[in-house]
Amino acid sequence: MAATHAFWLAGRQATGEETFDVTSPWDGRLVGKVAVPTPAQVEEAVAAAYAVRDEFAATPAHVRAAALDHVSRRLVERTEEIARLISAENGKPMKWARGEVGRAVSVFRFAAEESRRFNGGEAQRLDTDAGGTGRLALTRRFPRGVVLGIAPFNFPLNLCAHKIAPAIAVGAPIILKPAPATPLSGLLIGELLAETELPAGAWSVLPVANDRMPALVQDERLPVISFTGSDKVGFAIMDSVPRKHCTLELGGNGAAVVLADYASEKDLDWAATRIGTFSNYQGGQSCISVQRVVADASLYERLVPKIIASVEAQVTGDPSDDATDVGPLVSEEAAKRVEAWVDEAVRAGARLLAGGKRDGASYAPTVLADVPADVTISCEEVFGPVLTLSRVDGEDAAFKTVNDSKYGLQAGVFTHDVQAAFRAHRALEVGGVIVGDIPSYRADQMPYGGVKQSGVGREGVKYAMDDYTYERVMVFTGLAL
């Protein structure tokens, strides 16, 4: 019988009156039972975080850095165990699960490094006008308050890390709500934090149901909300608390643009390999997976067979098998939704070039061409292993096609032309432009986020730290500058 996983309340383990089951999307087996906090326990966690906010903000940098370094080291030591946990609860193939652990290791290490140099202060002479003679301004950053971090299922470890690590780095207490489908990885981070010297109340990991979130979102003691998930839910949160500081990392329908100069066989092989892999990694359940390919007409006919071959080469199956590239989606319901969107597109005239079949929670890597602009899969984030292809005449048409979307997270531009790269950077309405590669590249220390319906604010350790804090200026008077 699977063990019951306690949650973390103000730095200590606790159990509630109820539990829920976490099951594998691959074979339905029970992965673990998770204790659910009662309303009184949630209130205790919030009250503890609010009470400790001043103490935690004043914690020496070396204490916070040591805790973050400790979690980073312990993740390394337990990499294989944690990767298997991610794979079991999420259905992520082991090769990608190990990569996710490695990324979380870096996130906590980056946060430790940034915490040591964060907030050194910026001095500014004010005697540039006569009224400022003898005056010097010193600007430092201070936590906005307790952070409510709401994490998604698709990166159950690393996106929890992106909420927790920057908060600890700046001395902001955090209450983390992991996704109900994949709470075990977030709870494991709690286990590692409990081994540190952080003050009680500085962090909690509470696996509460989604329908209990409105009360937490509305709680005035939680002035900062960091949410990763769907645009519908994210903007509903922001609209419900307009006076709170919200960071929203939402959806996308990432485009890979292949411009006319990227035309050698070597170029096209590279582009096709990257597109085939990263339209399907994580089962397509990444907001920066490749959903659209926008290729110049001059090379389209040569590129398409290479993409199809790359997609069909993806190994599907048991996520615990090291050879597997593409595992199941998070649930059979998710796979049925993808199936319905593909079927709708085909009925409307799209050509199915590969895949298009569902088996339980698994959906075969799929390629569509000639997809009508008004079908769901053209307008929304598919969040599954589906790729659409379109041809365009020239760079301007390519960039216009990318921008013809309510989303704007990241785009990839395959080109060797530096001028074209800078034109793309100026023209594309996205948060990030990846030159010479797919839109799915993310380094955890870089600014990450989107525009339009893709979100508000930026993650990436340093940028999240800025987001969790605000500037406060102090002016010295009568100095001999």
Side-chain angles (χ1 to χ4, degrees):
M1 185 174 179
T4 296
H5 296 259
F7 53 85
W8 295 92
L9 194 168
R12 71 179 193 279
Q13 281 190 312
T15 56
E17 298 169 355
E18 299 178 356
T19 64
F20 67 91
D21 294 344
V22 178
T23 58
S24 165
W26 169 247
D27 56 16
R29 67 184 172 87
L30 181 64
V31 179
K33 289 182 175 292
V34 175
V36 180
T38 66
Q41 289 171 319
V42 172
E43 165 59 27
E44 183 181 349
V46 173
Y50 186 75
V52 82
R53 67 194 189 285
D54 291 339
E55 175 190 346
F56 193 32
T59 302
H62 71 86
V63 174
R64 288 177 271 121
L68 293 161
D69 275 329
H70 174 83
V71 175
S72 181
R73 288 193 303 269
R74 294 286 283 139
L75 288 170
V76 172
E77 293 168 1
R78 298 175 63 176
T79 291
E80 192 67 13
E81 170 200 349
I82 299 170
R84 294 201 175 279
L85 180 65
I86 293 171
S87 183
E89 69 172 343
N90 173 274
K92 184 172 298 193
M94 282 296 295
K95 64 169 57 177
W96 300 116
R98 292 188 185 100
E100 181 174 347
V101 179
R103 289 181 61 186
V105 168
S106 296
V107 167
F108 278 97
R109 187 181 74 249
F110 295 153
E113 294 165 356
E114 290 292 345
S115 69
R116 291 185 173 97
R117 54 178 171 255
F118 183 72
N119 218 1
E122 179 181 345
Q124 180 183 20
R125 292 180 66 134
L126 301 180
D127 61 354
T128 49
D129 286 319
T133 299
R135 296 181 186 267
L136 181 77
L138 178 66
T139 302
R140 297 165 62 201
R141 301 191 71 89
F142 294 85
R144 296 178 184 272
V146 183
V147 177
L148 173 60
I150 307 172
F153 71 81
N154 56 329
F155 289 86
L157 182 78
N158 195 42
L159 292 185
C160 288
H162 270 285
K163 308 298 183 192
I164 292 173
I168 291 173
V170 301
I174 181 165
I175 294 174
L176 177 78
K177 177 206 173 299
T182 57
L184 302 179
S185 300
L187 292 171
L188 191 141
I189 293 177
E191 181 180 333
L192 304 184
L193 287 171
E195 300 170 352
T196 71
E197 301 296 323
L198 294 177
W203 56 274
S204 293
V205 182
L206 304 179
V208 297
N210 290 340
D211 61 9
R212 293 174 59 188
M213 286 311 296
L216 274 173
V217 167
Q218 293 289 335
D219 196 307
E220 294 183 356
R221 295 168 295 178
L222 308 176
V224 180
I225 298 174
S226 179
F227 171 85
T228 302
S230 73
D231 57 319
K232 180 180 179 181
V233 175
F235 283 112
I237 288 173
M238 176 175 277
D239 290 344
S240 73
V241 285
R243 290 178 176 82
K244 288 197 176 191
H245 185 84
C246 296
T247 298
L248 306 179
E249 297 300 331
L250 309 177
N253 57 357
V257 177
V258 188
L259 295 180
D261 71 288
Y262 214 80
S264 72
E265 292 302 312
K266 181 179 179 181
D267 287 342
L268 296 182
D269 286 343
W270 164 255
T273 297
R274 298 293 283 175
I275 289 166
T277 298
F278 286 93
S279 61
N280 294 292
Y281 87 124
Q282 326 286 342
Q285 297 170 122
S286 167
C287 47
I288 47 175
S289 68
V290 186
Q291 182 170 329
R292 300 181 288 161
V293 173
V294 181
D296 193 87
S298 64
L299 48 74
Y300 181 87
E301 296 297 339
R302 295 166 54 213
L303 176 63
V304 169
K306 294 177 183 289
I307 290 176
I308 293 172
S310 177
V311 169
E312 291 181 336
Q314 301 298 306
V315 178
T316 62
D318 186 344
S320 67
D321 187 335
D322 285 345
T324 298
D325 298 309
V326 185
L329 275 68
V330 72
S331 67
E332 186 169 0
E333 291 70 26
K336 286 180 177 178
R337 178 190 54 77
V338 172
E339 179 182 42
W341 289 12
V342 172
D343 290 349
E344 176 201 21
V346 172
R347 286 195 303 270
R351 291 188 297 125
L352 182 65
L353 304 183
K357 296 181 180 180
R358 181 181 66 84
D359 180 9
S362 296
Y363 196 80
T366 297
V367 181
L368 296 169
D370 304 327
V371 181
D374 59 348
V375 299
T376 307
I377 212 164
S378 293
C379 303
E380 302 293 339
E381 178 182 33
V382 64
F383 225 59
V386 181
L387 182 66
T388 67
L389 309 178
S390 61
R391 74 177 81 201
V392 293
D393 292 313
E395 178 186 300
D396 289 345
F399 295 166
K400 182 178 179 181
T401 299
V402 174
N403 289 341
D404 186 19
S405 170
K406 68 179 182 179
Y407 296 112
L409 189 47
Q410 292 197 161
V413 180
F414 289 91
T415 184
H416 298 295
D417 185 340
V418 174
Q419 294 291 349
F422 274 86
R423 288 193 294 270
H425 198 204
R426 178 180 294 276
L428 294 178
E429 298 167 353
V430 294
V433 177
I434 313 300
V435 179
D437 207 351
I438 34 78
S440 318
Y441 176 79
R442 178 185 180 183
D444 292 286
Q445 71 270 39
M446 78 183 198
Y448 175 77
V451 296
K452 300 193 283 190
Q453 293 291 104
S454 287
V456 177
R458 292 294 179 267
E459 288 195 339
V461 175
K462 177 182 180 298
Y463 304 91
M465 291 168 66
D466 286 344
D467 219 37
Y468 291 169
T469 56
Y470 69 97
E471 293 176 319
R472 186 187 298 167
V473 66
M474 176 170 60
V475 176
F476 292 93
T477 303
L479 299 180
L481 297 175

